Amino acid sequence: MTHPTNDELLDFHYDELDAARAETVDAHVRTCTQCRTQLATWRGVGAALGAWELPEPKHRVNASPASAPATSRLTWLARTLRAAAAVFLLIGTGYGLARFNTPTPPAPPAPVASVDTAALRAEVARDVRRELGKELRDQQLKFAADVLERQQAFQETLAESVTAVERRQVARHAALRRDVETVAIHAQKELNQLAYSAHVEAAPDKVRDQ
Amino acid sequence: LSGDGDGPEGVSPDEAAMRRVQRYGDPAAFARLVERWEGPVRRLCARMTGDVHAGEDLAQEAFARVFAARHQFTEGRTFSTWLWRIALNLCHEHARRRAVRDEFVPSDARPAESGPDERAVESERAALVRAALARLPETHRAVVVLREYERLKFREVAEVLNVPEGTVKWRMTEAMAQLAGELRPILGDGDAKRDQDIQPRPETPSPPPTTIGDAGQLKVSVVL
């Protein structure tokens, strides 16, 4: 009984073998316990791997080719324009409805009408300016908060790393110091011993008297 | 490997869109590419790093690199192969950065790879699979993720990793053997579990052929 090669069996498992060869391998597998075992193991592993399902992302990839700050600027511009358009629409609709529902005065003096239009324009301009200013302030605050948050996170990480390195260096320094002191003490003892020996050799009688 | 069908000039939609991005910086074409490939790239990065949040960040970075390097995308290349390579390189860089961080930052000061919410919802089986994948060598993990999760054919995996197809199959066999051992507690009650006790096949896989662009690391050569 000739077994298919490992590569062939792998191709068979993943359905990448050409039809003719797949048929041959299939016929072999039906009668070969070893090959069937191998395939069953791979199937089992494949099924087990499916247990790790990923959650839905919290943030989608930003599809804008520009950088993030530029993107947020674009978003801000679009939102501002939308807000301005909404304000115009609202005021225009209100003005139109008011005009439609208000009975036309019999003989409106022309100067009064022109004064109303100017006032309305000024009011719209004020509203738009106010809306734009508010939106701008909100975005600036948001951006500043974001920058601050990132800076803090970076500083915290940096501080942690520096503390860890510092701690390690202090420990190494202390160990080195201990070693040096031990060597120094031993050296001192040796020196004392040598000095005493030299003294004894030089004047043995004196030492004996003492 | 790349697209569902051919474009008007016999070019797949991905390559056609990439060409528009390359020539005109077309944001709509780029958005189409992102929409189509965001999920696969995010999944690849999450499974390669074992960290869902890192997967999201790396996917974002991968598309930023695609746009930044759009002029280096040459005609005749497959967009998806290029994108997979960029994503895998980012995963490799992420792993390297993490190794450096682990060396200098004490383990108790390190942020957890996944937050409490993620850990709570992750089942025991999923955690076992994640840990087993993380223990695979990076080169083997890339093969398993691309073949098992992203359903690339061996030929396509070989193209992405720039190694011979035989090497890919050898890595796959090795990885599956290791995973079978690690995932034994959750392997099915049927054939797979029973077969653990049976002797392995007599024909052991041949040693890996000489690789082309692989020097024991995952790093895939792509010019950015």
Side-chain angles (χ1 to χ4, degrees), chain B residues 37-98:
Chain B
W37 287 101
E38 183 231 341
V41 170
R42 180 174 46 79
R43 288 196 304 265
L44 172 85
C45 295
R47 290 197 163 107
M48 283 302 292
T49 58
D51 182 350
V52 175
H53 300 304
E56 288 174 17
D57 293 345
L58 291 175
Q60 176 80 57
E61 203 175 334
F63 285 103
R65 282 203 186 182
V66 163
F67 191 79
R70 61 191 182 282
H71 296 299
Q72 289 164 26
F73 182 78
T74 49
E75 266 190 49
R77 285 179 89 168
T78 313
F79 173 74
S80 57
T81 305
W82 191 56
L83 179 61
W84 289 127
R85 282 186 186 181
I86 289 173
L88 283 171
N89 278 339
L90 283 170
C91 293
H92 175 68
E93 286 170 22
H94 178 269
R96 208 173 46 192
R97 279 199 303 271
R98 193 157 61 181

Side-chain angles (χ1 to χ4, degrees), chain A residues 14-94:
Chain A
Y14 285 107
D15 206 17
E16 289 191 30
L17 212 55
D18 64 82
R21 188 63 192 143
E23 209 171 307
T24 313
V25 173
D26 188 40
H28 169 81
V29 165
R30 283 173 197 282
T31 59
C32 175
T33 315
Q34 284 182 339
C35 290
R36 229 176 22 246
T37 300
Q38 181 67 83
L39 287 173
T41 304
W42 288 342
R43 264 200 305 277
V45 171
L49 287 175
W52 185 20
E53 288 174 1
L54 295 173
E56 276 300 301
K58 286 183 181 165
H59 308 286
R60 290 271 171 201
V61 167
N62 192 343
S64 168
S67 62
T71 306
S72 90
R73 278 199 298 276
L74 283 177
T75 313
W76 171 80
L77 188 63
R79 286 176 58 186
T80 307
L81 286 175
R82 271 203 300 274
V87 169
F88 271 118
L89 193 66
L90 201 65
I91 292 172
T93 310

Side-chain angles (χ1 to χ4, degrees), chain A residues 195-204 207:
Chain A
Y196 180 73
S197 302
H199 182 61
V200 168
E201 278 175 19
V207 172

Side-chain angles (χ1 to χ4, degrees), chain A residues 2-11 13-16 28 32-38 40-66 157 160-161 164-165 167-168, chain B residues 27 30-31 34 38 42-43 46-47 50 52-53 56 59-60 63 67 103-106 109 118 122 125-126 129-130 133 144 147-149 152-154 166 169 172-173 176 179-180 183 186-187 191-192 195-196 198 200-203 205:
Chain A
T2 311
H3 294 286
T5 65
N6 186 75
D7 286 5
E8 275 182 326
L9 203 59
L10 207 56
D11 281 337
H13 171 61
Y14 285 107
D15 206 17
E16 289 191 30
H28 169 81
C32 175
T33 315
Q34 284 182 339
C35 290
R36 229 176 22 246
T37 300
Q38 181 67 83
T41 304
W42 288 342
R43 264 200 305 277
V45 171
L49 287 175
W52 185 20
E53 288 174 1
L54 295 173
E56 276 300 301
K58 286 183 181 165
H59 308 286
R60 290 271 171 201
V61 167
N62 192 343
S64 168
T157 311
E160 280 169 8
S161 304
V165 171
R167 211 180 294 146
R168 203 172 297 170
Chain B
F30 187 68
V34 171
E38 183 231 341
R42 180 174 46 79
R43 288 196 304 265
R47 290 197 163 107
V52 175
H53 300 304
E56 288 174 17
Q60 176 80 57
F63 285 103
F67 191 79
E103 192 181 336
F104 286 101
V105 180
E118 285 73 22
E122 192 178 62
R125 290 162 65 90
V129 171
R130 186 158 67 90
L133 276 174
V144 172
R147 185 65 194 83
E148 273 290 338
Y149 287 109
L152 266 67
K153 294 191 178 306
F154 285 119
K169 286 178 183 168
M172 190 73 191
T173 310
M176 292 298 259
L179 287 173
L183 299 177
I186 60 165
L187 285 183
D191 292 342
D195 294 334
Q196 295 296 317
I198 303 177
R201 282 167 42 75
E203 292 107 342

Side-chain angles (χ1 to χ4, degrees), chain A residues 113-134:
Chain A
S114 74
V115 169
D116 284 347
T117 311
L120 188 65
R121 272 207 196 106
E123 192 181 344
V124 169
R126 256 199 321 275
D127 284 346
V128 169
R129 227 176 281 132
R130 194 169 53 238
E131 281 295 320
L132 287 174
K134 194 174 161 218

